[in-house]
Each structure stands twice: as structure tokens, then as C-alpha cells.
Amino acid sequence: MTSDAAAPSDFKSALLKEIPKLRFFALSLAGQQDRADDLVQEALIKAWAAQDRFTPGTSLRAWLFTILRNVFYSEYRKRRREVPDTDGEEAARLFSNPEQNGHLDLGDLKAALATLPEDQREALLLVGAAGVSYEEAAQVCGCAVGTIKSRVNRARKRLLALLGVDSASEFGGDYLAVNGASAPLELA
């Protein structure tokens, strides 16, 4: 069927004639009457807004069906990414700690590391930050494995005291879990 919509009133009449067929097509896509009606309404709004782009003498029905189909697929893609949350439980579970705490913690750690004796700092950074084994750290430092273990232990205890931390869970909190606690520590 070709519709020739020369004037806005003719375009409006032609749109109104196509509504039953649009509803049937929308129902076949959506499967629910209320969703189908919403699709038809959205398609009609888009068609009305874009009526200057309709080429008179071409099929208005095909143009409207294309608009409706595009609206359906756009909403489908959007709904696929959405999580139904009618009672707000999902939104209530969303929480992230402010990131500046991690930045401040890192600054405190850098300052505390700078106060450690050089041999302890070197052992701690090799084992704790660079992920080097105790044996490899002992080779790098030119000392026994037990000495490296002792230096690392003393450095950790000293850092905890300097930072005022009673346990490792108090330092960094969720920030380290979210941003990768296993990543090597970068000190600038």
C-alpha cells in the first residue's frame, strides 16, 4: 500500500489508518498487549517527529513497520542490560568505598616505607611487592633465607605500628579487593 501524505492532515489520516496493523505487528514482536501498545505509541511519536523524512509515494506501512521494529530492538537491547529492581533491593546492595581512601592509604604506606631501615625495606619490597620468593630475595641481597624472612617479618610489624593498624584487614579495606590486592605495589 502506498500512501501519499502531502499535507500534515493527510499524513495524520494515513497514520491513523495504519494503527491496527501496527498494533498487530507490535503484538507479534512483544507478546504482551501493554508492551505492544507502548511500542506502537513510541513508533507513532517517532514517525510524527520525522514526517519530513518520509518520501511521499512510498509505502507508509513499510516505513512505520521499520520504525516500530527498530524501537522494539532498541528497547530489547536496553532491557537486556537492565536488572529488574521493583523493591530497590538491588540498588541498596550497590556500594563502593570512596577511592581517595586508597590513595591516602598508599601515601601513608610510602611515607612509612621510607622510614624503614634499607635492608628491611628492600626485603619487604622484593618479597611483598615484587612477588619474589624468599630464596630469590636472599640471592639478590646476598644473605641467608632466614635473614630475609626475619627482615620481612620485622618490616611488616614496623609498618603496622607506623600506620596504626592492628590487622591487615584494616588497611585498604574494600579498595584493595576492588582494585586488585594481588597486583604488585608501585612506589613512585
Side-chain angles (χ1 to χ4, degrees):
M1 172 181 157
T2 51
S3 298
D4 206 350
S9 62
D10 292 341
F11 188 78
K12 180 180 176 182
S13 299
L15 280 181
L16 292 174
K17 286 180 189 174
E18 297 299 330
I19 289 176
K21 291 175 180 65
L22 282 173
R23 289 183 80 217
F24 182 77
F25 182 55
L27 187 58
S28 71
L29 289 173
Q32 298 172 341
Q33 189 65 47
D34 58 337
R35 289 252 309 116
D37 288 342
D38 290 345
L39 284 172
V40 170
Q41 181 178 358
E42 185 67 27
L44 289 172
I45 290 170
K46 287 184 180 289
W48 186 261
Q51 64 182 299
D52 60 320
R53 287 188 255 155
F54 174 69
T55 306
T58 61
S59 173
L60 178 65
R61 182 179 300 159
W63 187 66
L64 291 171
F65 277 25
T66 301
I67 292 171
L68 189 133
R69 187 196 65 214
N70 290 344
V71 168
F72 172 75
Y73 285 126
S74 293
E75 287 184 9
Y76 175 78
R77 284 189 297 271
K78 180 181 170 189
R79 287 177 191 245
R80 236 182 22 200
R81 294 184 302 266
E82 292 177 346
V83 176
D85 190 21
T86 55
D87 55 2
E89 285 184 25
E90 292 293 326
R93 279 190 248 148
L94 297 175
F95 175 78
S96 68
N97 286 326
E99 291 186 20
Q100 70 267 26
N101 290 343
H103 179 72
L104 294 172
D105 287 345
L106 183 59
D108 292 344
L109 176 63
K110 286 179 181 180
L113 277 170
T115 65
L116 292 177
E118 190 171 329
D119 60 341
Q120 290 180 10
R121 182 173 54 245
E122 180 181 35
L124 182 65
L125 291 176
L126 283 171
V127 173
V132 174
S133 70
Y134 286 111
E135 291 78 15
E136 292 170 322
Q139 287 178 347
V140 170
C141 295
C143 61
V145 174
T147 303
I148 289 294
K149 288 181 179 181
S150 175
R151 288 177 183 173
V152 168
N153 186 41
R154 283 182 282 153
R156 285 180 180 156
K157 286 182 179 180
R158 180 72 180 135
L159 278 179
L160 289 175
L162 288 170
L163 296 170
V165 177
D166 293 326
S167 71
S169 64
E170 292 179 27
F171 186 74
D174 287 342
Y175 181 81
L176 290 177
V178 169
N179 293 301
S182 62
L185 181 65
E186 291 184 32
L187 297 175

